[in-house]
Amino acid sequence: MHRIESGGARFITFSCQHRLPLFTNPNLAALLRDRLFMHREEGTLLIFAWVIMPEHVHLLCQPRGESTLAGILRSLKMSVAKTALDRWQQSNAAILQKLHDATGTPRFWLKGGGFDRNVRNPEEFAREFHYIHHNPVTRGLAKAPTDYPWSSSRFWSRAFPNEPTCDQASW
């Protein structure tokens, strides 16, 4: 079991260009999920919670070893963007016209680093963990966190089947 180092856990949010709901496409959501898991399997990123919303992503994570969060996110975001944009350019997809930045270049991700902050204590960690898993419910995308397919909520409900779920827990 990995230990959460003081100040090591981070709550991160990053968004699609113009906050377009690109992840309503299940193939794109699966691509991002798989690339995220690749970093976990390589041992560069410890992932506590994640959710892929239609137009943005939330992560509760911690870089591992010599890896930096900036490097991991750059790799993750660039690989997803390149795959999606290449496919859309090959098929001359209409979505490309909606993704242009001020220079006329299509972008997958909103420019900038998104939202990133240290999680300083167990109470804050629990609050962000809960927030991530309940975001689809709050937005009306699911009735319960485990109903939403693009989240770590299902993993946690299976990992601890006899424990209260996020729905049942008293926060």
Side-chain angles (χ1 to χ4, degrees):
M1 189 69 150
H2 294 286
R3 183 173 64 85
I4 302 170
E5 298 168 14
S6 176
R10 306 288 280 279
F11 175 73
I12 301 162
T13 302
F14 49 95
S15 300
C16 298
Q17 175 73 341
H18 304 307
R19 293 194 51 88
L20 290 168
L22 301 178
F23 291 114
T24 55
N25 179 327
N27 293 323
L28 279 177
L31 173 66
L32 176 59
R33 179 204 57 209
D34 293 349
R35 300 289 166 87
L36 188 61
F37 288 1
M38 180 187 74
H39 283 282
R40 180 192 66 196
E41 290 162 11
E42 289 174 350
T44 60
L45 189 64
L46 181 57
I47 305 169
F48 303 109
W50 59 274
V51 67
I52 302 170
M53 298 295 287
E55 72 290 330
H56 69 277
V57 177
H58 293 298
L59 298 174
L60 185 57
C61 61
Q62 181 176 336
R64 305 298 298 159
E66 300 298 315
S67 301
T68 66
L69 190 57
I72 293 165
L73 291 177
R74 184 173 31 261
S75 170
L76 172 72
K77 291 166 73 174
M78 283 179 61
S79 102
V80 170
K82 181 170 178 17
T83 300
L85 291 172
D86 285 352
R87 181 167 293 157
W88 290 333
Q89 286 169 341
Q90 288 172 0
S91 65
N92 199 25
I95 190 66
L96 287 170
Q97 300 308 313
K98 296 179 180 181
L99 295 172
H100 288 266
D101 64 10
T103 68
T105 304
R107 294 182 58 88
F108 188 93
W109 299 107
L110 193 60
K111 193 171 183 171
F115 179 80
D116 172 12
R117 69 178 174 77
N118 289 327
V119 176
R120 293 171 175 45
N121 57 55
E123 294 79 20
E124 190 176 353
F125 185 93
R127 186 172 53 248
E128 301 302 2
F129 186 90
H130 177 78
Y131 174 82
I132 287 170
H133 290 143
H134 277 78
N135 200 218
V137 175
T138 303
R139 289 272 305 276
L141 301 172
K143 291 187 182 202
T146 54
D147 293 340
Y148 192 69
W150 306 110
S151 162
S152 56
S153 183
R154 288 180 179 182
F155 165 80
W156 288 113
S157 70
R158 288 190 306 266
F160 301 99
N162 298 322
E163 296 294 320
T165 65
C166 289
D167 296 332
Q168 300 164 339
S170 168
W171 297 91

